[in-house]
Amino acid sequence: MNNLIKGTKFEWETIIGLEIHAQVKSNSKLFSSSSTKFGSKPNSQVSLVDAAMPGMLPVINEFCVKQAIKTGIGLKAKINQYSVFDRKNYFYADLPQGYQISQYKYPIVGEGVVTIDFNNGESKDIRIVRLHLEQDAGKSLHDQNPVKTYVDLNRSGVALMEIVSEPDLRSAEEAALYITKLRSILMYLDVCDGNMQEGSLRADVNISVRKPGENYGTRCEIKNLNSIKFIKQAIEFEAKRQIGILEKGGEIEQNTLLFDSLISKTRPMRNKEEAHDYRYFPDPDLLPLKIEDSLIQSLVKEIPELPDERKKRYINDFHLSNYDSSVLTSEKQTSDYFDKVLESDNDLKGSAKLVANWITSELFAILNKHDLDIHQSPISPEHLGILIKLIISDKISGKIAKEVFEEMFQSKESPEKIVKEKDLIQVTDTKEIEIIIEKILNDNQDKVREYKEGKIKLLGFFVGQAMKESMGKANPKKLNQILLNKLR
Amino acid sequence: MEFSSITETLKTIRSKKISVEELSNIFIKRIKDSKNLNAFIYFNEEDIIEQSRKIDKLSNNLSLKGIPLAIKDLFCTKNMPTTAGSKILSNFHPTYESFVTQKLIDQGSVFVGKANCDEFAMGSSTTTSFFGNTINPVSPKGKQLVPGGSSGGSAAAVAAKLCLGATGTDTGGSIRQPASFCGVVGIKPTYGLCSRWGIVAFASSLDQAGIFANSIEDASILMKEVAGYDSNDSTSAKIRIPDYYKNLNQDVAGKIIGVPKEYTLPGISDEINNVWEEAIKLFEKGGAKIKKISLPRTKYALPAYYIIAPAEASSNLARYDGVKYGFRSNENNSLDEMYELTRSEGFGKEVKRRILIGTYVLSAGYYDAYYLKAQKVRKLIADDFTLAFKDCDFIMTPTTPSQAFQIGEKEEDPIKMYLNDIFTVPASLAGIPGISIPFGKSKEKLPLGIQLLSKHFDEQTILNAGLYLEKNNE
């Protein structure tokens, strides 16, 4: 794929690496038992440890460690049986300890891989450098008082996984695919809720540009992006900014940037002289983390079917297209829904493509329109299965099915009940259809003449009239057949 | 009654010859009469009486019922302020009780006050405290000697019998050195034996709670109560705590005592070496065998310590920033300025010096040369001890290179002050237990101390040997 960006003089390649901060799905924090619930009253979920009271000590939350190991397994990565927590020292009002407990030299997870899929069926492996566990900081609130800053420590100490990729990404599009795929894997693993709006998944983007074949250029880091849209916009802007400088003969200054989503531009976060020296050193309050082989083995058994495997299953077992399979598996909930529909009736297995279409077109459309997630769908997978079964067994036409579908969405009733009550069962009886057709042909003798004189386009007219007469219930295939016979 | 030992006092209390309240009143009077020592940062009569009345109603079986204790002001206490000897925490009232002091409360002891100490336990003289220096009760007329430090208030209070025992913390010698200077028993247990939860941190990988008492027997009783596993301290050891007092046995016949040649230093006064020699002879008299041993990396201990401890301190003390609790300078226009002024005004000179050293040795470009190398040295020093303990049951050295010095004497030369820790620091780096027992006197009739060191979690061996030394000391 050609990802080159045309400048005014040269073509440029964008080199991107991502650092994803994923909040570990856990009821309590990384080193304390405080709750991690989102949206609670400020400072209502703060333990003595989270507030860094004198003499307080961190104790590792083993569940968070397990979540990190599971993530490592899901990323096909090496689990390091020896890892160390370090202190990253810096002063900030919402960092109560004056340091963040993180992992520096010895992270819990080593090299892994995430495969991204393109629409054309091709795919690309993005290498993962490492994953480490660290604490989140609190939140500074600058908008509560005109002269004061308030600090909310509810988030202080919440467990994050920082997942660092190699600079293997070459475009904003690829970066978006990567984060989408990574998010999907995390959600399949149930290790992160993937909620970007609530900040459960944030990205730092490292970006540089070069002429193809040349060495990497100087990179800049765009901090703290919390939506895929902003990530794409930030990359696109920043690549152009760097190309602009280089084509004018300038040099890129290594810098930390912030993305202003209002104007879609990046700007420097701090000056060079303020650059931090984090003075990392092993946290003496915590022992090195040693992970038994047996723990890893038991967690391997807990790993569910992941999107790549599911996709393969859809392609191999259900003969779905690469594209359909990708769409269905990108969100675990969608894929689960699809699986449930197929499981509801064995006869549907042969019509997986039809099921996929109903989900990705009709269901997605109606859910979008009502701003609902698939798990909130008023139409259950079982009901959708019944509806599709009615279609494939010729009980109702596709057109009628759409009506029934709308009704199901509104009333949550079963399709059978709706079809019965509204008398929507398809007419397949030849005699009944013949009677309708004869009536139509009788009523339109002039048109019949014209048809026979060669104006065959009129067939559509007859079909429409007959269908209308049957109130849409006539089996279209049969109707066509009989009509053609009569007009012969 | 004299009320100078825990064992005797417990008997008196249990036989109901005196109530806890009555006993406390005796100690309140002693403390008021010794105000000039400035051993306490916090002392509140009514609070002591209130505690005593409650304890009077409790079971007689409590192992420390009514025993008056001083608590180093580094232990967070729910009912008393906790300052760490610093202006920055001068008005800090914890909402929680440290693990160790809670255990002491649970056994019915009475806290008579918070003992003075060097600011954040950084010092060897208790002269860096924001609340003024403590005077060593053994000071001869006309002289004011330091009690040692950092747990100087605790040592002085025990020596002056203002309480029957005290808690301390020892990072590089902060229990053993003041014990030696004040003529009391001081124990720094194995790193991890006592929980650090609720103790204001100085250097986390070295800090260890311990105790002061007037005898080995009293110390053994207290040791059992302060030791024990705590799931809230990741470095706490999960081991069974022996009944040190019950197990006391002063028979040293056949014991092999290591005497390290590296602890004979040039420039150290003869009286120190003479006392050491006397202790050797006394042990030999008891049937112990003396073995000359070598701890070859000893000379690197002090420099390594003065890299590791300040490095950890620089990070541990970052939380005192004026944002959440403690002192905050009001004259500020920005967050950075608030940090700068709060910490400039809130910390004393020695604390600032160590934060600067610690920040420097952890800085990019210096980390490998200082911190990493110091950690390697630390490992080698621990190896020295492991090897030495293959040939001996415990090691005996002097506790300090000198007797108690005068207040103000070493203030202008931090290096001279740091040299106080020369004999105590190696054991701290190795994490092994150490005890200082009063033994011998200097020419000026000031107390001196002998230090006994043993393997990890083998406190009993040095308590036993200490008992022999104590009982046979003339």
Side-chain angles (χ1 to χ4, degrees), chain A residues 57 59, chain B residues 99 194-197 228-237:
Chain A
L57 300 170
V59 176
Chain B
F99 185 83
C194 304
S195 167
R196 291 183 293 116
W197 195 90
Y229 174 69
D230 176 9
S231 60
N232 285 323
D233 175 357
S234 309
T235 59
S236 170

Side-chain angles (χ1 to χ4, degrees), chain B residues 176-177 179-184 269-276 398-404 436-443 445-451 473:
Chain B
R176 290 160 287 164
Q177 186 251 17
S180 174
F181 277 14
C182 294
V184 297
S269 70
D270 284 345
E271 58 189 19
I272 299 291
N273 289 328
N274 291 344
V275 164
W276 193 11
T399 309
T400 58
S402 75
Q403 61 178 21
S436 178
I437 301 133
F439 189 79
K441 289 267 163 44
S442 69
K443 282 177 223 140
K445 304 282 175 232
L446 293 175
L448 295 173
I450 283 292
Q451 175 180 237
N473 189 6

Side-chain angles (χ1 to χ4, degrees), chain A residues 42-43 139-152:
Chain A
N43 295 312
K139 220 161 82 187
S140 291
L141 310 168
H142 303 290
D143 53 0
Q144 310 283 305
N145 183 294
V147 288
K148 287 180 179 169
T149 295
Y150 288 89
V151 174
D152 176 8

Side-chain angles (χ1 to χ4, degrees), chain A residues 317-456:
Chain A
D317 296 3
F318 302 139
H319 311 294
L320 293 187
S321 69
N322 186 65
Y323 177 77
D324 282 345
S325 305
S326 291
V327 171
L328 286 174
T329 53
S330 78
E331 292 266 354
K332 181 168 188 290
Q333 289 175 347
T334 308
S335 174
D336 285 347
Y337 190 99
F338 172 76
D339 280 348
K340 273 187 202 148
V341 174
L342 290 192
E343 278 158 23
S344 71
D345 193 322
N346 263 330
D347 294 349
L348 292 174
K349 295 246 155 66
S351 307
K353 169 76 182 155
L354 187 62
V355 174
N357 286 348
W358 269 88
I359 292 173
T360 57
S361 54
E362 301 305 320
L363 186 62
F364 277 6
I366 202 161
L367 290 173
N368 266 339
K369 202 171 129 195
H370 293 85
D371 204 16
L372 291 173
D373 270 347
I374 194 158
H375 72 276
Q376 301 164 309
S377 168
I379 298 176
S380 69
E382 293 73 22
H383 280 176
L384 184 64
I386 295 167
L387 181 71
I388 293 169
K389 182 91 184 283
L390 289 173
I391 303 169
I392 56 178
S393 58
D394 273 349
K395 295 260 168 55
I396 56 172
S397 69
K399 195 166 167 253
I400 293 282
K402 281 177 193 170
E403 264 175 58
V404 176
F405 183 81
E406 290 273 349
E407 181 65 28
M408 284 161 71
F409 190 88
Q410 300 305 333
S411 67
K412 296 190 188 179
E413 289 290 356
S414 87
E416 287 148 316
K417 197 174 169 204
I418 296 169
V419 164
K420 206 172 161 197
E421 276 175 7
K422 302 211 159 176
D423 192 21
L424 294 171
I425 293 285
Q426 185 162 259
V427 178
T428 45
D429 183 70
T430 312
K431 284 219 172 99
E432 226 174 297
I433 297 173
E434 272 177 354
I435 293 167
I436 293 166
I437 288 174
E438 266 160 26
K439 179 175 182 293
I440 297 300
L441 297 182
N442 261 332
D443 290 355
N444 297 286
Q445 286 181 13
D446 49 340
K447 294 239 166 50
V448 173
R449 211 172 306 121
E450 283 175 47
Y451 178 85
K452 286 188 174 163
E453 280 164 6
K455 213 171 174 186
I456 51 168

Side-chain angles (χ1 to χ4, degrees), chain A residues 48 51-59 87 89 91-93 96-99 277 279-282 284-287, chain B residues 76 92 96 196-199 204 231-234 312 315-316 318-320 324-325 339 343 359 362-364 367 371:
Chain A
L48 296 168
M53 299 305 280
M56 290 301 105
L57 300 170
V59 176
R87 290 186 185 175
N89 295 283
F91 284 94
Y92 202 65
Q97 295 169 134
Y99 55 84
D277 176 358
R279 291 172 283 121
Y280 283 100
F281 77 107
D285 285 333
L286 291 160
L287 300 172
Chain B
C76 289
F92 178 63
Y96 48 94
R196 291 183 293 116
W197 195 90
I199 300 174
S204 312
S231 60
N232 285 323
D233 175 357
S234 309
E312 293 179 11
S315 174
N316 281 335
R319 64 187 58 197
Y320 308 109
K324 311 161 288 282
Y325 49 76
Y339 288 147
R343 290 167 65 82
T359 304
L362 289 177
S363 299
Y367 180 86
Y371 188 77

